Amino acid sequence: NTVGGGVGGGVDVDYDATMTTMMTMASSSSMILSETEAWVEPLSLVLGPFLNLFSFAMLCRIVLSWYPSANANELPFSIVVWPTEPLLRLARGSVPPAFGVDITPVVWLGLFTFANEILLGQQGLLTMKMKYGI
């Protein structure tokens, strides 16, 4: 096959060989994934939903704190209060209220979001370990 058959003539191109070379290069560059320890992928599969669930629960606790008249022992609210209260109680001794407002849910939300990004984000430690074996 000839490409660019203008005044100066064309260039012979073997399309099959070119496509084969391009596919080989594409497959070799996408095969950057390396073998990693057996604990990394299961840990990331468990840690990701855990951190996301608790981040969402802390966000719900922040919104729930805007409504002081809401009874935390009633069913829709107790689903969020029950798993988060031990963590909040632990942090309330260390984090003082700011301007009379309990900011421990905000602190925990920041910690869970930070841990999620550092460990499982696009450039996270576990993500890099799974991709490149670092």
Side-chain angles (χ1 to χ4, degrees):
N1 295 342
T2 304
V3 176
V7 177
V11 177
D12 271 345
V13 177
D14 184 7
Y15 285 112
D16 293 332
T18 303
M19 290 305 289
T20 304
T21 303
M22 288 175 64
M23 297 208 25
T24 303
M25 287 173 49
S27 67
S28 66
S29 66
S30 67
M31 292 305 293
I32 296 176
L33 299 176
S34 72
E35 290 294 321
T36 184
E37 286 87 10
W39 58 268
V40 177
E41 190 172 354
L43 178 64
S44 67
L45 290 175
V46 170
L47 202 56
F50 172 79
L51 290 173
N52 287 328
L53 181 69
F54 268 91
S55 294
F56 181 71
M58 289 301 169
L59 185 61
C60 290
R61 282 300 294 256
I62 292 169
V63 172
L64 187 61
S65 70
W66 298 343
Y67 301 99
S69 63
N71 186 1
N73 295 325
E74 290 180 3
L75 186 57
F77 306 120
S78 64
I79 294 171
V80 173
V81 171
W82 177 76
T84 58
E85 189 58 35
L87 293 173
L88 294 175
R89 191 175 304 127
L90 178 70
R92 282 186 188 122
S94 302
V95 179
F99 305 106
V101 177
D102 182 22
I103 60 168
T104 52
V106 177
V107 171
W108 278 109
L109 177 64
L111 287 173
F112 285 134
T113 305
F114 180 73
N116 191 21
E117 189 62 33
I118 290 296
L119 296 174
L120 302 169
Q122 190 173 9
Q123 301 267 323
L125 296 174
L126 293 176
T127 304
M128 298 297 272
K129 182 110 176 113
M130 284 188 290
K131 281 186 180 177
Y132 306 114
I134 295 174

